[in-house]
Amino acid sequence: MNLTHIEHIGIAVRSIDEARKYYEDVLGLKCYSVEEVADQKVKTAFFKIGQTKIELLESTDPEGPIGKFIEKKGEGIHHIAFAVDGIENALQSLEKDGIRLIDQAPRRGAEGLDIAFLHPKSTFGVLTELCEDKNK
Amino acid sequence: MNLTHIEHIGIAVRSIDEARKYYEDVLGLKCYSVEEVADQKVKTAFFKIGQTKIELLESTDPEGPIGKFIEKKGEGIHHIAFAVDGIENALQSLEKDGIRLIDQAPRRGAEGLDIAFLHPKSTFGVLTELCEDKNK
């Protein structure tokens, strides 16, 4: 499997407006994009640091995945995403290795990437996303 | 504050021997170092992916921070670490901004880095580490 870098770290927050003050004014990172992903019931805000993005995730619906995550665990790191070359082959390989896939095939995520999630029960507790940018 | 990249992502696991099979054989990353950090009561295993390291953390003592974390929350992402130029100045600046510091001054961490942790109550639920490699 050809994982190249950490594409992003997803962090669940109650309010992007509040949390971005910390990431911008305190840590000095720059928010370059705010986007709503309707089918995930989230608003996202992106910051870049080196090769990696920080993706803040605010729920737009208490019944959405981020709403439920925050209700259960509070704010915090939600998932990590690896950039991969060849996401379809990677998913096939993972399935052969017995990894439980949340997405059997890639779907469209934030920033127009092809994405798929792996179940944390198979990945030692880490909700893991694969991402491929086919427009690059 | 001059944060340059994500230095590492710390992941709490029950057993490095078990988890490294997933990171090596399934994801194809290479473990380049296993190290015990006695004062943190952990054994660590490092993998590199792009600019970032994945640091698996196995507790060597149920009363240590990773032992307690796993007991409370199970396996999963424990912290993220930013590489910073000028860790002392960064800590001063954070304190001025009202961020609660776990380490008032840098101390020696794994791989000989100068490190300091910020309290997740100040950082929207994310246990956050700053690292500086003064040997580079």
Side-chain angles (χ1 to χ4, degrees):
Chain A
M1 190 166 325
N2 189 10
L3 304 180
T4 58
H5 60 282
I6 305 290
E7 212 281 333
H8 66 267
I9 299 170
I11 297 174
V13 298
R14 289 184 204 282
S15 159
I16 280 178
D17 284 348
E18 287 303 312
R20 73 183 279 179
K21 289 179 204 160
Y22 165 66
Y23 284 94
E24 291 195 308
D25 301 343
V26 177
L27 296 186
L29 305 180
K30 192 173 156 33
C31 179
Y32 68 88
S33 166
V34 175
E35 181 183 353
E36 189 164 335
V37 185
D39 75 333
Q40 288 295 297
K41 299 174 177 164
V42 289
K43 192 168 88 168
T44 64
F46 284 95
F47 304 77
K48 190 86 192 270
I49 172 164
Q51 288 177 324
T52 300
K53 297 159 191 163
I54 288 179
E55 178 187 31
L56 299 184
L57 299 153
E58 176 187 319
S59 183
T60 56
D61 180 336
E63 293 305 308
I66 296 302
K68 286 183 185 167
F69 177 89
I70 288 182
E71 193 185 325
K72 194 170 158 196
K73 304 193 175 184
E75 294 180 304
I77 304 169
H78 179 258
H79 68 273
I80 59 174
F82 295 107
V84 64
D85 288 336
I87 190 168
E88 289 86 357
N89 289 344
L91 291 174
Q92 276 183 14
S93 161
L94 287 161
E95 195 153 38
K96 249 186 234 163
D97 284 330
I99 301 300
R100 187 167 149 197
L101 307 180
I102 295 176
D103 299 296
Q104 299 296 320
R107 57 186 170 82
R108 186 56 52 96
E111 300 200 308
L113 301 183
D114 284 352
I115 68 162
F117 278 91
L118 318 183
H119 198 288
K121 291 248 186 232
S122 292
T123 59
F124 295 85
V126 176
L127 177 59
T128 300
E129 181 180 352
L130 300 183
C131 301
E132 185 169 26
D133 183 355
K134 292 197 174 152
N135 303 309
K136 74 180 174 188
Chain B
M1 192 165 324
N2 189 11
L3 304 181
T4 58
H5 60 281
I6 305 289
E7 213 281 333
H8 67 265
I9 300 170
I11 298 174
V13 297
R14 289 185 204 283
S15 159
I16 280 178
D17 285 346
E18 287 303 312
R20 72 182 279 178
K21 291 179 203 160
Y22 165 67
Y23 284 93
E24 291 195 308
D25 302 342
V26 177
L27 296 186
L29 306 179
K30 193 174 153 35
C31 179
Y32 68 89
S33 166
V34 175
E35 181 183 353
E36 189 163 336
V37 184
D39 75 333
Q40 288 295 296
K41 298 174 179 167
V42 289
K43 193 169 88 169
T44 64
F46 283 96
F47 305 77
K48 190 86 190 270
I49 172 164
Q51 287 178 325
T52 300
K53 297 160 192 163
I54 288 179
E55 178 188 33
L56 299 185
L57 299 153
E58 175 188 321
S59 183
T60 56
D61 180 336
E63 294 305 307
I66 296 302
K68 287 184 184 167
F69 177 89
I70 288 182
E71 192 185 325
K72 193 170 160 195
K73 303 193 175 184
E75 294 181 304
I77 305 168
H78 180 257
H79 68 274
I80 60 174
F82 295 106
V84 65
D85 287 336
I87 190 167
E88 289 85 358
N89 288 344
L91 291 174
Q92 277 185 11
S93 162
L94 287 162
E95 194 153 39
K96 249 186 232 162
D97 284 329
I99 303 299
R100 189 167 147 196
L101 307 180
I102 294 175
D103 300 296
Q104 300 296 319
R107 58 187 169 81
R108 186 56 52 97
E111 300 200 307
L113 301 183
D114 284 353
I115 68 163
F117 279 91
L118 318 183
H119 198 288
K121 291 248 187 232
S122 292
T123 59
F124 296 85
V126 177
L127 178 59
T128 300
E129 181 180 352
L130 300 183
C131 299
E132 184 169 28
D133 183 356
K134 292 196 174 153
N135 303 310
K136 74 179 178 190

